[in-house]
PDB file of all heavy atoms in Angstrom:
ATOM      1  N   PRO A 498     -19.466   4.161  -7.047  1.00 92.00           N
ATOM      2  CA  PRO A 498     -20.262   5.256  -7.791  1.00 92.00           C
ATOM      3  C   PRO A 498     -21.224   4.703  -8.787  1.00 92.00           C
ATOM      4  O   PRO A 498     -20.935   3.692  -9.428  1.00 92.00           O
ATOM      5  CB  PRO A 498     -19.066   6.241  -8.434  1.00 92.00           C
ATOM      6  CG  PRO A 498     -17.920   5.286  -8.520  1.00 92.00           C
ATOM      7  CD  PRO A 498     -17.955   4.463  -7.341  1.00 92.00           C
ATOM      8  N   VAL A 519     -12.747  -3.491 -11.607  1.00 96.00           N
ATOM      9  CA  VAL A 519     -13.669  -2.286 -11.557  1.00 96.00           C
ATOM     10  C   VAL A 519     -13.253  -1.366 -12.683  1.00 96.00           C
ATOM     11  O   VAL A 519     -12.021  -1.102 -12.934  1.00 96.00           O
ATOM     12  CB  VAL A 519     -13.390  -1.466 -10.260  1.00 96.00           C
ATOM     13  CG1 VAL A 519     -14.248  -0.253 -10.183  1.00 96.00           C
ATOM     14  CG2 VAL A 519     -13.824  -2.351  -9.030  1.00 96.00           C
ATOM     15  N   ARG A 520     -14.309  -0.967 -13.436  1.00 96.00           N
ATOM     16  CA  ARG A 520     -14.127   0.151 -14.369  1.00 96.00           C
ATOM     17  C   ARG A 520     -14.894   1.318 -13.825  1.00 96.00           C
ATOM     18  O   ARG A 520     -16.215   1.278 -13.790  1.00 96.00           O
ATOM     19  CB  ARG A 520     -14.454  -0.269 -15.835  1.00 96.00           C
ATOM     20  CG  ARG A 520     -14.165   0.795 -16.783  1.00 96.00           C
ATOM     21  CD  ARG A 520     -14.443   0.490 -18.179  1.00 96.00           C
ATOM     22  NE  ARG A 520     -15.777   0.307 -18.526  1.00 96.00           N
ATOM     23  CZ  ARG A 520     -16.344  -0.096 -19.601  1.00 96.00           C
ATOM     24  NH1 ARG A 520     -15.574  -0.303 -20.588  1.00 96.00           N
ATOM     25  NH2 ARG A 520     -17.645  -0.309 -19.721  1.00 96.00           N
ATOM     26  N   LEU A 521     -14.302   2.334 -13.578  1.00 96.00           N
ATOM     27  CA  LEU A 521     -14.907   3.600 -13.013  1.00 96.00           C
ATOM     28  C   LEU A 521     -15.713   4.298 -14.170  1.00 96.00           C
ATOM     29  O   LEU A 521     -15.356   4.144 -15.366  1.00 96.00           O
ATOM     30  CB  LEU A 521     -14.031   4.500 -12.432  1.00 96.00           C
ATOM     31  CG  LEU A 521     -13.276   3.886 -11.101  1.00 96.00           C
ATOM     32  CD1 LEU A 521     -12.164   4.832 -10.614  1.00 96.00           C
ATOM     33  CD2 LEU A 521     -14.291   3.603 -10.030  1.00 96.00           C
ATOM     34  N   PRO A 522     -16.693   5.218 -13.767  1.00 95.00           N
ATOM     35  CA  PRO A 522     -17.513   5.786 -14.787  1.00 95.00           C
ATOM     36  C   PRO A 522     -16.731   6.659 -15.936  1.00 95.00           C
ATOM     37  O   PRO A 522     -17.064   6.726 -17.061  1.00 95.00           O
ATOM     38  CB  PRO A 522     -18.340   6.732 -14.057  1.00 95.00           C
ATOM     39  CG  PRO A 522     -18.461   6.163 -12.700  1.00 95.00           C
ATOM     40  CD  PRO A 522     -17.228   5.462 -12.448  1.00 95.00           C
ATOM     41  N   LYS A 523     -15.559   7.200 -15.505  1.00 95.00           N
ATOM     42  CA  LYS A 523     -14.684   7.812 -16.472  1.00 95.00           C
ATOM     43  C   LYS A 523     -13.857   6.957 -17.270  1.00 95.00           C
ATOM     44  O   LYS A 523     -13.009   7.467 -18.106  1.00 95.00           O
ATOM     45  CB  LYS A 523     -13.934   9.042 -15.840  1.00 95.00           C
ATOM     46  CG  LYS A 523     -14.855  10.104 -15.272  1.00 95.00           C
ATOM     47  CD  LYS A 523     -13.959  11.244 -14.700  1.00 95.00           C
ATOM     48  CE  LYS A 523     -14.837  12.321 -14.093  1.00 95.00           C
ATOM     49  NZ  LYS A 523     -14.152  13.626 -13.503  1.00 95.00           N
ATOM     50  N   GLY A 524     -13.819   5.689 -17.054  1.00 96.00           N
ATOM     51  CA  GLY A 524     -13.099   4.693 -17.873  1.00 96.00           C
ATOM     52  C   GLY A 524     -11.889   4.143 -17.178  1.00 96.00           C
ATOM     53  O   GLY A 524     -11.285   3.163 -17.789  1.00 96.00           O
ATOM     54  N   GLU A 525     -11.416   4.620 -15.987  1.00 96.00           N
ATOM     55  CA  GLU A 525     -10.227   3.957 -15.507  1.00 96.00           C
ATOM     56  C   GLU A 525     -10.552   2.566 -15.112  1.00 96.00           C
ATOM     57  O   GLU A 525     -11.572   2.221 -14.460  1.00 96.00           O
ATOM     58  CB  GLU A 525      -9.843   4.751 -14.242  1.00 96.00           C
ATOM     59  CG  GLU A 525      -8.668   4.310 -13.455  1.00 96.00           C
ATOM     60  CD  GLU A 525      -8.179   4.925 -12.280  1.00 96.00           C
ATOM     61  OE1 GLU A 525      -8.724   6.052 -12.075  1.00 96.00           O
ATOM     62  OE2 GLU A 525      -7.464   4.383 -11.511  1.00 96.00           O
ATOM     63  N   ARG A 527      -9.339  -1.023 -13.131  1.00 94.00           N
ATOM     64  CA  ARG A 527      -8.525  -1.437 -12.045  1.00 94.00           C
ATOM     65  C   ARG A 527      -8.785  -2.799 -11.596  1.00 94.00           C
ATOM     66  O   ARG A 527      -9.786  -3.291 -11.825  1.00 94.00           O
ATOM     67  CB  ARG A 527      -8.897  -0.591 -10.707  1.00 94.00           C
ATOM     68  CG  ARG A 527      -8.857   0.859 -10.739  1.00 94.00           C
ATOM     69  CD  ARG A 527      -9.474   1.488  -9.397  1.00 94.00           C
ATOM     70  NE  ARG A 527      -9.175   2.876  -9.361  1.00 94.00           N
ATOM     71  CZ  ARG A 527      -9.665   3.572  -8.242  1.00 94.00           C
ATOM     72  NH1 ARG A 527     -10.357   2.959  -7.388  1.00 94.00           N
ATOM     73  NH2 ARG A 527      -9.368   4.884  -8.136  1.00 94.00           N
TER      74      ARG A 527
END
Side-chain angles (χ1 to χ4, degrees):
V519 177
R520 185 176 64 182
L521 296 174
K523 293 184 179 180
E525 180 181 343
R527 305 172 168 182

